[in-house]
Structures are given as C-alpha cells and as structure tokens.
C-alpha cells in the first residue's frame, strides 16, 4: 500500500486502478480573501499570511493535474438576491461591510462579483469541479457529496483558506461522511497564525479524530510514487 508520511500516522492512498480515487480540494482561494485591496484586507486582516500559500497550492494543483487526479475548487458566496444567506449570517461582522454590500472588489461574498473569483494563478480548468457554497462547509447546501460519489472519490486532500473556518468546517463535514481526509499544513492559512496552529493540532489529535496532516513535499513525492512509480 502507498502511504504519505503524515501525522498522527501514515495516510493511505487508494491504489491505482482500485476504483477509489483521491482528490485535491482547494477551499475559497478567492480574490476577496487573499488579495490586497479585497474584503479581507478592508476588514484589517493581514492578507500576506494567506498569500504565502499560493505557490504551494499552485504546485499541488499542477501535480494533481499532471497525474490526472481530480480537483475541486470552492468559493464562498451568495446569490445576488441573498436568498441563500441566513439573516443571522448577514447580521454578523463589521456593520459597514456586510454580505451583499458594495466592497472594494464588488458586492461582498456575492457570486459573480470580481472579488468572488479565484486568484488567477489557481483558476479552475475545464472539467474541474467548482462548488459555490453559501456556508463555511463545502457540503452544506451543495451537491458536493453526490458529485464525489459519482467520481468514485473516497480520499480528500484539503488546502486553502481559512484554516480554522472554511477549511476545518469542510474537513469535519467530509470526515463525518466517511471520507479519508488529509490536511496539507503548508497549503492552508489563516489571518491568525495561532488559530491555524490550534486547528492543525486538533485535527490530528486523539489518533486522527478528523484526519491526517502532512506537507506538500511529502504528499507530492508519495503521489508520484503511487501513480507513476517514480518520485521525480
Ligand atoms: C473562509 C471565512 N473561507 N473565514 N471564510 O474561511 O469567513
């Protein structure tokens, strides 16, 4: 069996041609969260924390594409009429910058606005799944579970932002649905480094209560070994 060096113990990869597949999940790498001049920055967050993972996620994306492995992108956003935004969610946060309000990159967290786009270097390619989600978790009010089943995906590798909010929520939802979940520590970030560290710790605690944690280099080497027979 091919495994990835991970914590709390090696992560098992599905065997080639086993009928079971591993997919990369890239959570919410949206311009509004990641780029200077977006919604996240307007709230006073340090987007530099998030920007530093972009090359790592790009490297993972390239590897999955080269190996012909599935990729799933998510975007947090709401319909323009906000009919899918619970009033409690809209009421939260900074009173001058709420969901649906005009922001620096278009209406905040509204589908189709420039700020809702994925950063150019990670832009989805034709054939890749793009899940628009109104919640923090990627399974809530989406068809993700059905799509994963159709594609025979049983193993999910999580990257993206922010670690303690949408990444962790999605990973917990996936874990509860029986997916084998792996978090790439250097492929996820938070505006708050201490929240990231706490999340990485809690995911792998108690024998992997939510899943496993690894690094991009380790994952890439194992994927190449498992699916091409070579690490280069
Ligand atoms: C995400 C958020 N993507 N922090 N959203 O984590 O509100």
């Amino acid at each position: 069996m091919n495994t990835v060096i991970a914590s709390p113990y090696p992560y098992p990869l599905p065997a080639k041609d086993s009928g079971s597949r591993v997919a990369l999940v890239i959570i919410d790498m949206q311009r509004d969260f990641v780029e200077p001049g977006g919604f996240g920055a307007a709230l006073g967050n340090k987007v530099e924390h998030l920007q530093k993972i972009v090359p790592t996620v790009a490297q993972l994306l390239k590897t999955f594409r080269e190996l012909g492995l599935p990729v799933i992108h998510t975007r947090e956003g709401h319909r323009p009429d906000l009919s899918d935004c619970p009033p409690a969610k809209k009421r939260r946060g900074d009173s001058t910058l709420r969901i649906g309000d005009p922001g620096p990159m278009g209406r905040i967290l509204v589908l189709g606005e420039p700020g809702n786009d994925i950063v150019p270097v990670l832009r989805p390619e034709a054939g890749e799944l793009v899940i628009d989600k109104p919640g923090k978790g990627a399974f809530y009010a989406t068809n993700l579970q059905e799509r994963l089943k159709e594609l025979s995906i049983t193993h999910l590798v999580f990257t993206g932002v922010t670690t303690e909010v949408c990444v962790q929520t999605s990973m917990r939802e996936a874990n509860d649905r029986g997916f084998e979940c792996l978090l790439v520590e250097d492929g996820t970030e938070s505006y708050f480094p201490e929240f990231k560290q706490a999340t990485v710790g809690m995911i792998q605690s108690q024998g992997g209560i939510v899943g496993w944690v690894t690094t991009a280099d380790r994952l890439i080497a194992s994927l190449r070994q498992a699916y091409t027979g070579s690490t280069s």
Side-chain angles (χ1 to χ4, degrees):
M1 182 179 40
N2 286 291
T3 57
V4 183
I5 298 171
S7 177
Y9 54 89
Y11 175 80
L13 286 170
K16 198 174 174 183
D17 304 325
S18 65
S20 151
R21 298 208 289 167
V22 59
L24 176 65
V25 184
I26 305 178
I27 301 280
D28 300 359
M29 290 296 284
Q30 299 160 216
R31 296 184 57 209
D32 246 339
F33 291 141
V34 177
E35 289 186 0
F39 171 47
L43 291 176
N45 292 303
K46 290 201 168 61
V47 293
E48 307 82 66
H49 290 304
L50 273 49
Q51 284 181 310
K52 73 176 187 244
I53 65 162
V54 173
T56 308
V57 179
Q59 185 64 31
L60 285 164
L61 181 57
K62 181 166 172 276
T63 303
F64 273 74
R65 284 174 176 164
E66 282 171 3
L67 296 175
L69 298 171
V71 176
I72 297 137
H73 307 258
T74 72
R75 295 182 290 215
E76 182 179 356
H78 297 274
R79 297 187 196 122
D81 65 3
L82 304 187
S83 56
D84 57 355
C85 181
K89 183 176 182 188
K90 183 162 165 49
R91 276 196 299 270
R92 299 280 174 78
D94 184 321
S95 61
T96 60
L97 274 182
R98 291 209 164 122
I99 295 169
D101 290 348
M105 291 185 181
R107 291 181 67 205
I108 290 166
L109 291 190
V110 170
L111 303 176
E113 296 288 336
N116 203 244
D117 262 358
I118 291 171
V119 295
V121 68
L122 302 176
R123 191 164 284 150
E125 281 185 355
E128 292 173 352
L129 208 53
V130 180
I131 299 288
D132 285 312
K133 60 185 186 60
K136 303 303 180 193
F139 290 82
Y140 169 68
T142 72
N143 65 354
L144 179 57
Q145 188 166 1
E146 294 73 27
R147 299 304 309 277
L148 295 176
K149 190 159 185 236
E150 282 163 20
L151 295 167
S152 304
I153 293 167
T154 50
H155 291 57
L156 296 174
V157 171
F158 284 87
T159 60
V161 299
T162 60
T163 316
E164 77 282 11
V165 186
C166 292
V167 176
Q168 176 171 218
T169 306
S170 300
M171 196 168 170
R172 287 176 181 273
E173 287 182 328
N175 182 52
D176 280 347
R177 286 164 173 76
F179 292 94
E180 305 282 13
C181 298
L182 176 65
L183 179 66
V184 183
E185 185 167 2
D186 48 346
T188 182
E189 258 308 333
S190 168
Y191 297 123
F192 308 98
E194 66 277 22
F195 290 174
K196 171 180 171 176
Q197 282 322 310
T199 305
V200 168
M202 66 179 82
I203 278 171
Q204 59 188 290
S205 68
Q206 301 179 71
I209 196 158
V210 180
W212 288 258
V213 178
T214 193
T215 59
D217 282 353
R218 286 175 167 169
L219 174 61
I220 290 169
S222 299
L223 288 171
R224 290 200 185 286
Q225 180 70 51
Y227 301 120
T228 68
S230 153
T231 52
S232 54

